[in-house]
Amino acid sequence: MSKSAKFDRADVVEKATKLYWEKGFHGTSMRNLQDVVDMRPGSIYAAFGNKENLFKEALQHYAKVSFFRLSACKKASSSPLEALRTFVKSILIDTAESAPSGMCMLVKSVAELTVENAELLSESKRLLSLIESEFAAIFKEAIEQGEISASKDPKHLAQYLQIQIMGVRTYAGAHDDALAIEALIDDIFDSSVVRG
Amino acid sequence: MSKSAKFDRADVVEKATKLYWEKGFHGTSMRNLQDVVDMRPGSIYAAFGNKENLFKEALQHYAKVSFFRLSACKKASSSPLEALRTFVKSILIDTAESAPSGMCMLVKSVAELTVENAELLSESKRLLSLIESEFAAIFKEAIEQGEISASKDPKHLAQYLQIQIMGVRTYAGAHDDALAIEALIDDIFDSSVVRG
DNA sequence: GTTATTATTGAACGTCCGTTCATGGCTTTG
DNA sequence: CAAAGCCATGAACGGACGTTCAATAATAAC
């Protein structure tokens, strides 16, 4: 009947995500993308529509990977709270070495996008909210298992954790010298917000 | 001898800052700037050199305004710690209404810029460090006046405050619904990091 | 082997980018 | 009033942008 696509879509999205993550939406040109994914413009446009759509897929891929990491931390940990701690450690430390940017791609997107790319902006926000919901679910487990006081509100804790991660990653991104990340993570989980 | 410049340089920088703050470096075109400052390209280039240089002046102007605000809070407050609290309140609340963006312009710049604009990136980082130093100086006063335990390290407290401000502003920028900002500010200043 | 169908190619398009510069106008000095 | 010197102007430049599309190559079905 026909011919099937030669390129590996997942691989292309992965590479596009890395580039967008590093350079941002406006800072990345279609020609940059053509180079890293090794495709000609016609093929890219046939497969992904346009620059915005490809960015949207990159955002979703990024979020998906984050969920996988969090899920892996849950499986590898003996308690909900420890899972979160492991997750935070992994994004604050691993990321700083191998990732295209020390900062969260979703946060970078919210920072750079305006109403001129309304859909990408709202998608970034939506995905951040999704992650926060997952944090809340894990905090809820921690409360049910007695790891955290039952007087705490899982949603409030999840919001607190998001703020802390955003803060530390942004701060780390703004400093060239190495930080005492471990101590900052201790600050987060020993905070009166969590333990009080 | 000659003719003196007609335009008000301070006013132009102010307007350019607002635009850059809102749309970012890559998201702002020279034609956008020409419109908002009401100058023709030749005049802008004669006065500011190029797009990068004008952005640099915008960053410095932004930081200067931040310092003025902090200084004003010090004068209006009865103690160092209260001054910081007032300052944080002002940037988290006032800013969300009238400012071009809820997020800090320096943070947005660190988020979007790469090594391709190395000088702008390092200038953004430098200005953030300058602000952190000012925080540290105020925390030092708070310790000397007994408002905070003498066992605390002003530099560590300043770092903590930067992280919290970055976190909350970024979080607020990522949510369309109104937040309980006051409660978050209480979390910051009641934290064991400050009060423990 | 032929045909039908689809993927890939890359030149080319129109637009916008950052930037320059010859021109003309204004202001100050003598 | 004339001369000198700076400033403002905006058309124009080369190049990069996102995107399109006719031509070509590759596959699958018969």
Side-chain angles (χ1 to χ4, degrees):
Chain A
M1 189 75 111
S2 81
K3 177 185 169 187
S4 62
K6 193 186 65 184
F7 68 90
D8 177 353
R9 189 180 179 92
D11 184 51
V12 167
V13 170
E14 166 76 20
K15 283 173 177 162
T17 302
K18 274 193 179 167
L19 190 63
Y20 273 134
W21 185 2
E22 184 195 343
K23 304 175 55 140
F25 179 72
H26 293 298
T28 303
S29 74
M30 289 305 288
R31 282 168 176 82
N32 292 157
L33 282 163
Q34 288 160 35
D35 292 343
V36 314
V37 307
D38 191 28
M39 286 170 75
R40 265 35 67 200
S43 302
I44 298 180
Y45 279 82
F48 298 99
N50 57 25
K51 191 188 179 187
E52 283 215 327
N53 239 297
L54 178 51
F55 189 80
K56 195 172 173 181
E57 287 208 27
L59 287 174
Q60 287 160 353
H61 172 70
Y62 177 88
K64 194 175 289 180
V65 170
S66 295
F67 274 105
F68 282 152
R69 284 170 82 100
L70 183 49
S71 165
C73 289
K74 278 184 75 172
K75 273 162 195 152
S77 303
S78 58
S79 82
L81 205 54
E82 197 201 310
L84 286 176
R85 201 186 194 110
T86 307
F87 177 72
V88 170
K89 213 175 273 189
S90 87
I91 57 173
L92 291 182
I93 294 170
D94 302 6
T95 260
E97 294 160 5
S98 66
S101 162
M103 294 182 61
C104 170
M105 183 182 175
L106 303 176
V107 167
K108 289 185 72 164
S109 300
V110 166
E112 90 155 306
L113 296 173
T114 67
V115 69
E116 288 169 33
N117 301 101
E119 198 179 331
L120 297 181
L121 182 55
S122 69
E123 181 66 4
S124 304
K125 292 180 181 181
R126 188 183 71 83
L127 293 167
L128 279 169
S129 291
L130 234 55
I131 293 173
E132 188 175 326
S133 302
E134 191 58 28
F135 288 163
I138 298 175
F139 275 120
K140 185 154 173 284
E141 285 182 48
I143 291 169
E144 285 162 1
Q145 298 183 17
E147 203 179 2
I148 293 179
S149 157
S151 68
K152 296 290 177 185
D153 173 18
K155 284 188 181 153
H156 180 233
L157 291 169
Q159 181 190 57
Y160 166 79
L161 185 60
Q162 275 276 50
I163 290 173
Q164 298 307 312
I165 294 173
M166 286 176 173
V168 174
R169 287 185 94 173
T170 304
Y171 185 88
H175 286 258
D176 300 316
D177 48 319
L179 304 177
I181 298 277
E182 299 273 357
L184 293 175
I185 299 173
D186 288 343
D187 283 354
I188 295 174
F189 285 91
D190 294 348
S191 155
S192 57
V193 178
V194 178
R195 305 204 310 117
Chain B
M1 188 73 108
S2 81
K3 179 184 167 186
S4 63
K6 194 185 63 184
F7 68 90
D8 178 352
R9 189 181 180 93
D11 184 53
V12 168
V13 170
E14 166 76 21
K15 284 172 175 162
T17 302
K18 275 192 179 168
L19 190 64
Y20 272 134
W21 186 2
E22 184 194 343
K23 303 176 56 143
F25 179 72
H26 292 299
T28 303
S29 74
M30 289 306 288
R31 280 167 177 81
N32 292 158
L33 283 162
Q34 287 161 35
D35 291 344
V36 313
V37 308
D38 191 29
M39 286 171 73
R40 265 33 70 198
S43 302
I44 297 181
Y45 278 82
F48 298 100
N50 58 25
K51 190 189 180 188
E52 283 215 326
N53 239 296
L54 178 51
F55 189 81
K56 196 171 172 183
E57 287 207 27
L59 287 173
Q60 287 160 353
H61 172 70
Y62 177 89
K64 194 175 290 182
V65 170
S66 296
F67 273 106
F68 283 152
R69 284 169 82 100
L70 184 48
S71 166
C73 290
K74 279 185 74 174
K75 274 164 193 150
S77 302
S78 58
S79 82
L81 205 55
E82 198 202 310
L84 285 176
R85 201 184 194 113
T86 307
F87 177 72
V88 170
K89 214 174 275 188
S90 87
I91 58 174
L92 291 182
I93 295 170
D94 302 4
T95 260
E97 296 160 5
S98 65
S101 161
M103 293 182 60
C104 170
M105 182 181 176
L106 302 176
V107 167
K108 290 185 72 164
S109 300
V110 167
E112 91 156 303
L113 296 173
T114 68
V115 69
E116 288 170 32
N117 301 100
E119 199 179 331
L120 297 181
L121 182 54
S122 68
E123 181 66 4
S124 304
K125 292 180 180 180
R126 189 183 70 83
L127 292 167
L128 279 168
S129 292
L130 234 54
I131 293 173
E132 187 174 327
S133 301
E134 192 57 30
F135 288 163
I138 298 175
F139 275 121
K140 187 154 172 282
E141 284 181 48
I143 291 169
E144 285 163 0
Q145 297 183 18
E147 205 179 1
I148 294 178
S149 157
S151 69
K152 296 289 177 185
D153 173 18
K155 284 189 180 149
H156 180 233
L157 291 168
Q159 181 189 57
Y160 167 78
L161 185 60
Q162 275 275 50
I163 291 172
Q164 298 308 310
I165 295 173
M166 287 175 173
V168 174
R169 289 186 92 174
T170 303
Y171 185 88
H175 286 258
D176 299 315
D177 49 317
L179 305 177
I181 297 277
E182 299 272 358
L184 294 174
I185 298 172
D186 289 343
D187 282 354
I188 295 173
F189 285 92
D190 295 347
S191 154
S192 56
V193 178
V194 178
R195 305 204 310 118

